[in-house]
Amino acid sequence: MPKKVFVRTFGCQMNEYDSDKMADVLNASEGYEPTDRPEDADLILFNTCSVREKAQEKVFHDLGRVRHLKMANPNLLIGVGGCVASQEGEAIVRRAPYVDLVFGPQTLHRLPELLSARRLSGKSQVDISFPEIEKFDHLPTPKAAGPAAFVSIMEGCSKYCSFCVVPYTRGEEVSRPLPDVLGEIAALALGGVREVTLLGQNVNAYRDSTSAGNCDFTDLLDHVADIPGIERIRYTTSHPRDFTHRLLEAHSRIEKLAAHVHLPMQSGSDRILAAMKRGYTALEYKSIIRRLRAARPDISIGTDIIVGFPGETDADFESTMDIADEVGFDTSYSFIYSPRPGTPAAGLKDETPHPQKLERLYRLQEKLDALESGIGERMVGTLQQVLVEGLSAKDPGELAGKSSHNRTVNFPGDASIIGRFTDVRITQARRHSLRGELTPVASAVTA
Ligand code: SAH
Ligand code: F3S
């Protein structure tokens, strides 16, 4: 019987990606098969996040819940990876001695070595170093698992926003070499992938180190657009500070670029943006959006917003509310500021009472939800090009895919069209998805 690994993922898309890579590397080295039942697993991995909330406590709480499995099965191994591991290191083993492996986002490719060192020594292993980008040289070649794939193009972040822990847990920005990225996408395209999402904390800071700094993110997009089989390109996340004129222009020139950009704004107040060290003003943010819309009139914009940053006044918050209306954000995420140990903002005086922050968050989320629903309603009756990714999670009798605007669309249809683009007429807007029907032409093609 093959050994089984259970991976529990917290946090961002980078973590989802890393979890897939953990499963790949363990499968290639030791034949581990994934399982979604921790009680069946020979190895349990937690891929943790420390960007918000009391992540450490959550990890220890969840670890406590699998501890009994180890009592029942002494051969069971438990590992903690991701950003909490990176931040806490040895402290995890001190507090939870039954943890066998601790590894960071940049050392997950060393899992096989860590496992054998654990077996040989009988001791817990900790490796949270930042060995540059070596990770990608040691991961198995990815296989296509459906028509849409994520491809990591860079790791880490060097922006050091004053509230954010990512530069400390994932390290500074390091780009993958261009030939590696293009090779990986070409291989995925041969395996049936039609849409790629270029992934990184700050993708538009991409710089290919193999071509003497000549290839930036816009050049990368051009190269990806040239790969046969790739019909749609997304990227996440980008930073307003690195949104160059050339990148804006690429959105009108490169047809394969999806009509959607996720561009975190964080706040609409210049005072708060400066305290966050974001490196742009509200006007500059709006100017990027205006020029993006000029380049690609149907583009939808998603964002991230933090409320209750230390020193945020009612007036600051109202500026954020105003910009949300002005821009008309599509799907967005908003959070209450959470002080992160080791970040500069954690030392700032914060006098806003928590209930007031909560009230701001509710008001903002109400607005963001209304904006998102409004956009959904206006899509009813329109024709959307949908990449059919599989059966709908909620109703296996229906198909599910994404529109160019990154909206999930469910519609009745035959499973034979999974993996292809098709035109879907939107018939109904739901809370976080759209319903539609195949057009007569699209139905005829698939009949
Ligand atoms: N570069 C990534 C940022 C990762 S963190 C990106 O741009 O997506 C994702 C989001 O979490 C951030 O955009 C921010 O809105 C939020 N966030 C980060 N640190 C936070 C903190 N200390 N408190 C509250 N929200 C935070
Ligand atoms: Fe964090 Fe700012 Fe980078 S939010 S990931 S430090 S761009």
Side-chain angles (χ1 to χ4, degrees):
M1 272 245 296
K3 287 181 285 190
K4 295 210 171 85
V5 56
F6 170 83
V7 188
R8 172 134 159 72
T9 310
F10 303 83
C12 65
Q13 272 167 330
M14 290 299 281
N15 266 11
E16 298 280 351
Y17 182 87
D18 284 350
S19 291
D20 287 348
K21 298 296 142 184
M22 290 174 200
D24 285 357
V25 83
L26 289 166
N27 180 268
S29 63
E30 307 203 2
Y32 275 96
E33 297 282 348
T35 172
D36 48 16
R37 291 166 47 92
E39 52 277 27
D40 292 346
D42 304 281
L43 172 63
I44 294 180
L45 297 177
F46 287 91
N47 190 7
T48 61
C49 171
S50 59
V51 84
R52 278 177 301 275
E53 64 206 15
K54 311 225 160 42
Q56 283 87 328
E57 293 317 308
K58 188 156 175 48
V59 171
F60 286 109
H61 177 254
D62 282 26
L63 274 173
R65 289 177 28 178
V66 295
R67 188 182 183 174
H68 72 277
L69 295 175
K70 188 137 178 162
M71 312 241 202
N73 170 12
N75 292 326
L76 171 67
L77 295 174
I78 298 178
V80 179
C83 289
V84 176
S86 175
Q87 211 167 21
E88 298 289 303
E90 298 273 355
I92 294 184
V93 181
R94 278 201 298 276
R95 191 164 154 187
Y98 52 93
V99 170
D100 302 284
L101 312 169
V102 177
F103 55 99
Q106 311 298 5
T107 48
L108 64 92
H109 59 286
R110 295 183 182 163
L111 269 172
E113 287 83 352
L114 288 171
L115 277 171
S116 56
R118 165 68 186 77
R119 287 192 196 106
L120 284 173
S121 68
K123 294 201 183 79
S124 304
Q125 301 293 313
V126 178
D127 182 356
I128 51 164
S129 53
F130 292 121
E132 285 281 309
I133 205 93
E134 114 181 357
K135 160 172 159 183
F136 291 100
D137 297 334
H138 295 82
L139 290 173
T141 316
K143 287 188 206 68
F150 286 92
V151 173
S152 172
I153 64 164
M154 51 102 63
E155 286 273 322
C157 181
S158 308
K159 294 289 184 282
Y160 293 95
C161 300
S162 64
F163 54 81
C164 184
V165 80
V166 169
Y168 310 98
T169 57
R170 286 188 170 267
E172 296 238 322
E173 282 161 8
V174 192
S175 296
R176 283 181 74 189
L178 179 71
D180 293 8
V181 173
L182 297 181
E184 183 169 324
I185 298 174
L188 288 168
L190 280 177
V193 167
R194 295 290 162 260
E195 171 187 302
V196 277
T197 303
L198 308 177
L199 200 59
Q201 296 293 347
N202 247 312
V203 287
N204 50 346
Y206 180 85
R207 279 267 158 206
D208 173 38
S209 47
T210 55
S211 57
N214 288 331
C215 176
D216 68 3
F217 182 61
T218 310
D219 298 323
L220 172 66
L221 289 176
D222 274 310
H223 287 301
V224 175
D226 284 341
I227 296 176
I230 297 299
E231 298 299 333
R232 197 192 262 168
I233 307 167
R234 303 184 188 280
Y235 57 85
T236 196
T237 303
S238 50
H239 194 293
R241 217 158 87 192
D242 293 323
F243 227 100
T244 60
H245 177 73
R246 291 182 64 233
L247 177 54
L248 283 159
E249 186 261 340
H251 277 272
S252 69
R253 183 170 47 80
I254 305 177
E255 278 181 27
K256 292 180 179 178
L257 265 177
H260 174 78
V261 169
H262 186 78
L263 191 63
M265 176 175 82
Q266 312 300 2
S267 168
S269 150
D270 287 345
R271 230 170 49 78
I272 296 299
L273 285 169
M276 288 175 163
K277 299 233 172 343
R278 289 290 291 178
Y280 54 85
T281 61
L283 196 64
E284 283 164 335
Y285 184 89
K286 283 192 286 186
S287 153
I288 295 172
I289 304 298
R290 186 173 40 77
R291 289 184 289 158
L292 258 174
R293 291 223 159 100
R296 182 83 198 250
D298 62 336
I299 201 156
S300 76
I301 310 289
T303 202
D304 292 347
I305 296 177
I306 296 176
V307 304
F309 186 81
E312 184 187 71
T313 61
D314 281 335
D316 293 320
F317 175 68
E318 294 308 328
S319 313
T320 302
M321 293 284 279
D322 290 346
I323 294 202
D325 273 329
E326 273 178 66
V327 174
F329 290 116
D330 199 326
T331 316
S332 307
Y333 303 91
S334 46
F335 320 95
I336 289 191
Y337 167 71
S338 132
R340 303 282 74 214
T343 60
L348 295 176
K349 256 219 329 261
D350 185 4
E351 282 165 350
T352 315
H354 190 70
Q356 190 172 353
K357 294 186 182 180
L358 263 179
E359 197 186 306
R360 284 181 193 163
L361 184 72
Y362 290 149
R363 274 187 59 209
L364 178 65
Q365 290 188 335
E366 217 171 299
K367 181 183 291 292
L368 293 174
D369 280 352
L371 290 169
E372 182 179 337
S373 317
I375 293 172
E377 300 290 345
R378 287 197 293 281
M379 287 173 83
V380 173
T382 63
L383 215 53
Q384 298 294 327
Q385 207 195 23
V386 172
L387 175 60
V388 191
E389 292 184 31
L391 302 178
S392 153
K394 284 199 198 101
D395 178 358
E398 294 204 343
L399 301 175
K402 291 253 172 65
S403 74
S404 182
H405 306 97
N406 209 31
R407 289 290 196 119
T408 297
V409 184
N410 296 307
F411 57 97
D414 192 277
S416 63
I417 61 169
I418 291 173
R420 288 201 251 152
F421 284 94
T422 185
D423 282 341
V424 177
R425 187 169 304 282
I426 306 302
T427 53
Q428 189 193 353
R430 292 175 173 169
R431 205 166 141 68
H432 290 299
S433 65
L434 302 168
R435 270 206 92 223
E437 60 193 17
L438 287 170
T439 60
V441 177
S443 311
V445 171
T446 62

